[in-house]
């Protein structure tokens, strides 16, 4: 019988993608067929939470058995997500872990003292950093190398390199930005670890995965579609749209690309607004203003969807579709669906 | 504008050049994809590779392509197709500058356009014919002035690469052979940067996505704040410097023009008063900015709009004017340094950094000699090469030194007479 310290289990449960958590799972070495129902329900809950756009959450407990179940449930949740066989659901899970990391690391802040969990997670990613003490009331800064910072580029404006203090190959981050940078690393790490092989998984896990999907927010997209066919979206727009519905912060140009596209394919203005209501920093007045300008145009100018060349220059293009404009892809898909 | 005889003539001249010059400018040549171009077309064939410099130079001497480019990327199998099969190992960073991206008031003097549809022509380089709206042919003749403005951007970039980004090794600069420069960053540490990371770097250089609020420019409160010069780092420091410099050089008219641009009619009077106040108390205003406060008198609302406009202008000035689209593409191919550019006959010359300041492509990138060649020139502005002035020409014959004749033939504005 393997025994773990409660603080190790607590850390592993909060950060189940960490090497500490992996070590615990390896030591427990459970068989998928022997998982208890509580662990499976926790795993389903993790996936359902993620598909609903919510952060991963654990109970505030020191119960070792329960914490251990959370640690085991995470890889099971990954198996369930993989069983859904759709990449967009991997984004949902990765985003969920990212949001949770931000919350947990904020909770572990200590005024005037080092954030130990932040240090532990940074070390787990092999990130070397030092603390630069500032004069007076100015906050201390985390100094990391430019190349380490660029290992996890983010669409979050607060994490763009152009909005950081940079000098001689070093980037200087206040604690909050360091937390969000680490969370972005988490998101990428989780995404890169999916899908996992699912050939021989117990049928029950696949069933639980689809139950989680049906019960979650993922179905909401159909309610937003109205006359447009949201199954015909080009990959670039599909990705942005999925991330928005998952509650992830998307960059300004991505919002513009999505809004102009949805408008062009006939999604009504109020439904476009509804989609954007999932953004973490949603402000109805500002969003309504921008969407209205796109829908109605400004001073006779209509906002056309962004071309593929421009999507590529912003780094939004994720597939080779052999079209010049995402709208072309959509129309081709619609035609192809009519024929079939 | 040219037929086969010009093309054949130029190709023979290019062969002569390559028979006298060895090109050894592509590090780890065996890992690079190459592409070549024909007369009038920069890329007509890709997916080529050379195992060493000897093979490359034999090719140049026998085939004398009008354009030859190589990949920023390193591949396991550079000649494989499609791109996914090449086995990407990593890529250099390459930043491209072209005079067409840089403001210069001389362009109307030397660039012109021609519409093949309706026969109209004129100065400058519009995209479309003002007469019939068809796409026009553009003819650009960059001069020392616009090349000089482009060089300033290169120096600006080099300073940022070193002082901010910490890239000091493996930096190489070459003239593009036509109207700009390429800056290569080849240090091994950057080769593994993802496409997203490269876009972040380009955004950093061009200030795309720069948020004044997130960079310490806070004009929402009673005190209009900016970063202190002693604490500013990176992009915020650049913007602050350009803001201070623009105030230093400004007169009241300039401040009114740029600071009052977004003020309503009823606010403009207050804006003009603020502009006058700043000009009359310039030293104190600049000292205040250096200490983190944007000075103002009168209405806070007017002042915040005024300073917002000046900050936006400083961001525009502080951005590096590089070619964004070519600078983010990890799979692109760029001119092989020290080869000839098929649209000019000039050498895409590698420049030691200390030689950049005095580099004049129309003196230092010439590939050909003084032998006189007779050409018939459709149209060309006055231009200078090797210290000699030529033109302007319009539908006339002239005997020109080889370097000037080849320049016009390659540009497609002249034929052999």
């Amino acid at each position: 019988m393997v025994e773990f310290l409660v603080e190790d289990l607590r850390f592993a449960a909060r950060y189940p993608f960490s090497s500490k958590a992996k070590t615990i799972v390896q030591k427990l070495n459970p068989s998928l067929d022997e998982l208890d129902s509580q662990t499976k329900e926790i795993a389903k809950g993790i996936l359902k939470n993620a598909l609903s756009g919510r952060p991963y959450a654990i109970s505030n407990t020191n119960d070792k058995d329960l914490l251990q179940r959370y640690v085991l449930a995470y890889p099971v949740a990954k198996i369930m997500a993989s069983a859904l066989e759709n990449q967009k659901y991997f984004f949902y899970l990765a985003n969920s872990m990212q949001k949770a990391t931000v919350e947990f690391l904020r909770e572990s802040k200590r005024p005037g003292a080092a954030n130990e969990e932040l240090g532990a997670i940074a070390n787990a990613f092999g990130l070397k950093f030092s603390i630069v003490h500032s004069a007076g009331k100015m906050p201390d800064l985390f100094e990391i190398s430019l190349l380490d910072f660029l290992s996890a580029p983010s669409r979050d404006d607060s994490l763009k390199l152009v909005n950081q203090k940079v000098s001689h190959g070093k980037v200087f981050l206040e604690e909050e930005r360091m937390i969000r940078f680490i969370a972005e690393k988490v998101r990428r790490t989780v995404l890169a670890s999916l899908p996992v092989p699912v050939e021989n998984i117990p049928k029950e896990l696949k069933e639980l995965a689809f139950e989680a999907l049906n019960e979650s927010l993922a179905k909401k997209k159909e309610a937003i579609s109205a006359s447009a066919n949201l199954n015909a979206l080009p990959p670039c727009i599909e990705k942005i749209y999925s991330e928005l519905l998952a509650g992830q912060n998307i960059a300004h140009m991505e919002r513009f690309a999505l809004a102009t596209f949805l408008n062009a394919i006939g999604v009504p203005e109020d439904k476009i607004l509804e989609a954007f209501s999932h953004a973490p920093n949603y402000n109805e007045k500002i969003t309504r203003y921008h969407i209205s300008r796109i829908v109605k145009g400004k001073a006779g100018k209509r906002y056309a969807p962004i071309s593929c060349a421009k999507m590529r220059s912003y780094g939004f293009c994720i597939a080779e579709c052999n079209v010049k404009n995402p709208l072309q892809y959509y129309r081709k898909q619609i035609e192809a669906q009519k024929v079939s | 504008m040219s037929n086969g005889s010009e093309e054949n003539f130029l190709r023979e001249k290019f062969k002569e050049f390559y028979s006298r010059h060895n090109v050894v400018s592509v590090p780890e040549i065996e890992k690079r994809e190459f592409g070549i171009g024909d007369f009038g077309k920069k890329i007509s064939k890709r997916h080529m590779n050379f195992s060493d410099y000897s093979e490359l130079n034999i090719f140049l001497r026998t085939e004398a392509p009008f354009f030859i480019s190589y990949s920023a990327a390193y591949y396991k199998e550079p000649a494989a197709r499609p791109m996914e099969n090449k086995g990407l190992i990593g890529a250099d960073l390459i930043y491209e500058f072209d005079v067409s991206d840089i403001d210069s008031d001389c362009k109307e003097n030397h660039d012109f356009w021609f519409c093949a549809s309706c026969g109209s022509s004129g100065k400058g380089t519009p995209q479309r014919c003002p007469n019939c709206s068809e796409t026009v042919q553009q003819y650009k003749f960059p001069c020392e002035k616009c090349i000089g403005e482009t060089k300033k951007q290169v120096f600006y970039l080099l300073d940022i690469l070193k002082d901010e980004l910490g890239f000091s090794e493996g930096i190489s600069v070459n003239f593009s052979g036509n109207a700009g420069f390429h800056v290569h960053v080849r240090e091994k540490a950057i080769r593994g940067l993802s496409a997203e990371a490269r876009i972040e770097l380009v955004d950093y250089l061009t200030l795309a996505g720069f948020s004044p609020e997130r960079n310490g420019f806070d004009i929402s409160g009673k005190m209009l704040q900016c970063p202190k010069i002693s604490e500013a780092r990176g992009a915020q420091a650049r913007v602050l410097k350009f803001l201070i410099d623009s105030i230093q050089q400004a007169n009241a008219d300039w401040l009114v023009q740029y600071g009052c641009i977004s003020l309503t009619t009823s606010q403009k009077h207050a804006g003009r008063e603020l502009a006058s106040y700043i000009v009359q108390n310039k030293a104190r205003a600049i000292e205040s900015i250096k200490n983190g406060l944007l000075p103002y008198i009168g209405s806070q609302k007017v002042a915040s709009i005024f300073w917002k406009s000046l900050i936006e202008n400083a961001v525009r000035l502080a951005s590096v004017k590089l070619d964004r689209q070519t600078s983010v593409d990890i799979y692109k191919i760029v001119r092989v340094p020290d080869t000839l550019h098929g649209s000019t006959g000039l050498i895409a010359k590698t420049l030691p950094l200390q030689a950049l300041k005095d580099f004049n492509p129309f003196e230092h990138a010439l590939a050909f000699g003084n032998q006189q060649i007779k050409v018939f020139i459709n149209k060309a502005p006055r231009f200078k090469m090797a210290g000699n002035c030529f033109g302007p020409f319009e539908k006339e014959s002239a005997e020109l030194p080889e370097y000037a004749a080849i320049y016009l033939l390659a540009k497609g504005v002249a034929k052999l007479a």
Side-chain angles (χ1 to χ4, degrees):
Chain A
M1 180 72 175
V2 189
E3 275 289 323
F4 303 102
L5 295 173
V6 68
E7 48 269 26
D8 286 347
L9 283 172
R10 209 172 135 71
F11 182 89
R14 283 155 73 89
Y15 309 104
F17 46 80
S18 64
S19 47
K20 187 168 276 187
K22 284 179 194 166
T23 304
I24 291 173
V25 170
Q26 278 163 3
K27 284 186 178 166
L28 290 170
N29 196 22
S31 150
L32 287 179
D33 294 308
E34 291 165 359
L35 287 173
D36 63 69
S37 57
Q38 197 179 358
T39 304
K40 284 185 270 193
E41 278 304 309
I42 292 174
K44 179 189 163 187
I46 291 172
L47 181 60
K48 185 176 163 186
N49 235 20
L51 296 175
S52 302
R54 291 193 291 267
Y56 164 72
I58 66 170
S59 307
N60 190 11
T61 180
N62 285 328
D63 180 327
K64 278 188 172 185
D65 283 338
L66 183 54
L67 288 171
Q68 199 164 281
R69 286 196 169 90
Y70 272 106
V71 177
L72 288 175
Y74 170 70
V76 178
K78 282 175 57 177
I79 290 170
M80 288 181 181
S82 304
L84 295 175
E85 294 182 344
N86 190 322
Q87 200 193 27
K88 65 187 174 193
Y89 301 132
F90 308 158
F91 283 110
Y92 280 103
L93 186 58
N95 294 344
S96 180
M97 302 312 298
Q98 177 190 29
K99 288 182 208 174
T101 301
V102 172
E103 288 182 12
F104 293 146
L105 288 178
R106 281 179 182 159
E107 277 170 19
S108 63
K109 279 188 194 181
R110 298 281 175 269
N115 186 331
E116 288 181 3
E117 284 193 4
L118 180 56
I121 297 289
N123 286 332
F125 283 121
L127 285 171
K128 293 189 176 51
F129 66 91
S130 51
I131 310 280
V132 176
H133 296 290
S134 301
K137 290 182 185 169
M138 296 300 289
D140 291 346
L141 299 173
F142 288 80
E143 177 190 301
I144 64 173
S145 82
L146 172 70
L147 294 180
D148 278 343
F149 184 77
L150 289 175
S151 66
S154 170
R155 273 84 50 81
D156 183 341
D157 281 349
S158 73
L159 285 182
K160 277 192 72 63
L161 184 66
V162 74
N163 294 324
Q164 311 311 322
K165 290 182 187 249
V166 180
S167 179
H168 293 94
K170 303 287 184 192
V171 181
F172 301 87
L173 303 171
E174 290 180 18
E175 189 174 12
E176 174 63 19
R177 288 192 191 182
M178 182 69 175
I179 286 173
R180 290 159 85 170
F181 166 68
I182 294 288
E184 176 63 24
K185 291 276 290 182
V186 166
R187 188 187 75 84
R188 285 167 177 270
T189 302
V190 171
L191 200 55
S193 70
L194 291 163
V196 298
V198 293
E199 289 85 35
N200 299 315
I201 62 167
K203 196 168 139 209
E204 188 195 359
L205 292 185
K206 200 163 182 173
E207 286 166 2
L208 287 171
F210 279 95
E211 272 178 32
L213 178 62
N214 290 331
E215 292 166 20
S216 75
L217 206 59
K219 284 283 185 182
K220 202 170 153 176
K221 206 193 275 184
E222 272 95 50
I224 291 174
S225 68
S227 63
N229 184 342
L230 294 184
N231 293 317
L233 298 182
C236 51
I237 299 291
E238 169 71 58
K239 179 171 179 280
I240 297 170
Y241 193 30
S242 297
E243 289 177 350
L244 177 67
L245 289 189
Q248 191 175 354
N249 195 7
I250 60 173
H252 172 75
M253 280 312 296
E254 286 178 302
R255 293 171 194 235
F256 182 78
L258 178 64
T260 49
F261 184 88
L262 292 179
N263 179 49
I265 64 170
V267 176
E269 187 175 342
D270 61 324
K271 295 296 183 186
I272 301 177
L273 186 66
E274 191 180 323
F276 277 90
S277 68
H278 294 281
N281 56 351
Y282 174 66
N283 178 311
E284 191 193 333
K285 193 173 164 193
I286 294 175
T287 308
R288 189 180 285 282
Y289 168 75
H290 285 298
I291 291 173
S292 186
R293 271 178 67 163
I294 286 169
V295 170
K296 295 181 174 67
K298 186 196 169 197
K301 179 187 169 178
R302 299 197 53 83
Y303 292 97
I306 294 179
S307 68
C308 290
K310 212 141 203 177
M311 294 290 268
R312 269 192 294 277
S313 81
Y314 282 111
F316 301 158
C317 175
I318 58 168
E320 186 49 70
C321 303
N322 293 317
V323 291
K324 290 192 176 165
N325 190 293
L327 209 49
Q328 257 183 308
Y329 179 99
Y330 176 80
R331 288 182 186 135
K332 279 186 178 180
Q333 289 295 106
I334 298 290
E335 280 308 310
Q337 284 171 19
K338 276 185 197 163
V339 167
S340 60
Chain B
M1 276 190 172
S2 287
N3 65 27
S5 58
E6 282 74 29
E7 190 174 329
N8 292 337
F9 172 76
L10 287 171
R11 197 177 295 280
E12 286 309 306
K13 285 294 167 188
F14 277 33
K15 278 187 187 176
E16 279 177 30
F17 171 80
Y18 288 123
S19 69
R20 297 191 310 268
H21 294 86
N22 240 7
V23 173
V24 291
S25 57
V26 180
E28 298 180 61
I29 186 173
E30 72 284 359
K31 294 179 187 153
R32 312 281 198 158
E33 178 200 359
F34 283 77
I36 58 171
D38 298 324
F39 191 70
K41 189 177 178 189
K42 282 186 191 162
I43 300 174
S44 55
K45 185 178 175 187
R46 276 183 77 150
H47 312 292
M48 300 169 67
N49 87 301
F50 302 101
S51 55
D52 53 33
Y53 284 133
S54 171
E55 206 176 300
L56 169 66
N57 282 288
I58 290 170
F59 177 83
L60 290 171
R61 278 162 204 157
T62 49
E63 302 300 321
F66 284 102
F67 302 92
I68 181 160
S69 306
Y70 79 108
S71 59
Y74 302 79
Y75 300 106
K76 288 181 195 162
E77 309 218 23
R81 299 188 208 204
M83 296 301 288
E84 303 84 73
N85 290 352
K86 289 185 191 297
L88 178 70
I89 301 170
D92 297 332
L93 290 169
I94 302 184
Y95 297 112
E96 299 192 29
F97 294 90
D98 191 283
V99 295
S100 53
D101 296 321
I102 288 154
D103 285 335
S104 175
D105 56 16
C106 54
K107 289 177 188 172
E108 287 283 309
N109 298 337
H110 51 61
D111 295 347
F112 63 92
W113 59 272
F114 173 76
C115 178
S117 257
C118 69
S120 303
S121 65
K123 288 186 180 181
T125 48
Q127 292 290 328
R128 296 202 166 270
C129 176
N131 195 38
C132 71
S133 301
E134 289 296 317
T135 310
V136 299
Q137 289 161 327
Q138 297 175 343
Y139 296 94
K140 298 179 188 177
F141 287 78
C143 65
E144 278 177 64
K145 183 175 180 186
C146 37
I147 293 282
E149 290 301 314
T150 312
K151 267 200 280 182
K152 283 183 191 169
Q153 289 293 311
V154 175
F155 280 119
Y156 184 36
L157 172 68
L158 292 173
D159 284 343
I160 295 169
L161 289 177
K162 178 168 154 263
D163 296 335
E164 295 178 31
L165 301 177
F167 299 148
S168 53
E169 291 174 21
I171 295 188
S172 172
V173 180
N174 65 276
F175 173 56
S176 69
N178 186 10
F181 297 88
H182 298 161
V183 177
H184 306 248
V185 182
R186 294 185 177 132
E187 64 176 83
K188 283 199 166 148
I190 59 90
R191 289 188 192 177
L193 284 174
S194 65
E196 290 170 290
R198 288 161 195 268
I199 290 171
E200 276 294 292
L201 284 172
V202 168
D203 285 351
Y204 181 80
L205 295 169
T206 60
L207 299 180
F210 179 87
S211 163
E213 296 76 25
R214 294 193 193 281
N215 280 287
F217 293 90
D218 182 0
I219 52 169
S220 58
K222 195 163 181 228
M223 310 256 276
L224 307 187
Q225 296 175 321
C226 63
K228 290 183 184 173
I229 198 157
S230 56
E231 293 169 3
R233 298 280 182 273
Q236 69 177 179
R238 275 188 268 146
V239 172
L240 188 64
K241 181 182 176 306
F242 273 88
L243 181 66
I244 291 171
D245 286 352
S246 58
I247 299 293
Q248 183 69 59
Q249 292 159 30
N251 56 26
D253 286 341
W254 187 93
L255 278 177
V256 167
Q257 181 186 352
Y258 285 92
C260 298
I261 196 168
S262 296
L263 294 176
T264 62
T265 313
S266 60
Q267 292 170 331
K268 279 206 178 358
H269 176 73
R272 279 193 288 273
E273 287 198 337
L274 176 52
S276 295
Y277 168 77
I278 291 169
V279 168
Q280 285 158 19
N281 298 278
K282 202 179 269 195
R284 202 148 33 117
I286 287 173
E287 202 53 35
S288 176
I289 295 170
K290 287 180 178 177
N291 285 321
L293 285 177
L294 300 169
Y296 73 95
I297 52 165
S299 158
Q300 186 271 354
K301 184 170 177 181
V302 168
S304 68
I305 298 170
F306 180 92
W307 280 110
K308 182 169 186 273
S309 299
L310 289 181
I311 292 165
E312 284 169 0
N313 186 58
V315 172
R316 255 192 314 273
L317 292 172
S319 76
V320 180
K321 309 294 186 284
L322 49 83
D323 182 331
R324 186 193 170 84
Q325 271 186 287
T326 53
S327 296
V328 301
D329 184 1
I330 208 168
Y331 297 111
K332 67 155 165 242
I333 54 176
V334 294
R335 179 116 322 91
V336 174
D338 302 323
T339 60
L340 295 177
H341 194 293
S343 297
T344 60
L346 298 174
I347 308 170
K349 200 155 180 186
T350 302
L351 303 165
L353 298 184
Q354 58 271 27
L356 180 58
K357 182 165 166 278
D358 294 325
F359 174 75
N360 177 353
F362 305 110
E363 286 185 29
H364 305 126
L366 302 184
F368 302 103
N370 294 309
Q371 182 191 345
Q372 296 291 300
I373 308 282
K374 193 166 180 187
V375 288
F376 179 84
I377 307 146
N378 267 310
K379 190 178 170 80
R382 187 176 155 86
F383 64 98
K384 199 171 171 184
M385 289 182 102
N388 301 312
C389 291
F390 306 97
F393 301 110
E394 182 136 13
K395 293 202 187 326
E396 59 188 284
S397 294
E399 271 205 3
L400 300 175
E402 198 175 59
Y403 54 79
I406 287 173
Y407 183 64
L408 295 180
L409 289 169
K411 279 202 170 293
V413 298
K415 294 183 184 188
L416 293 167

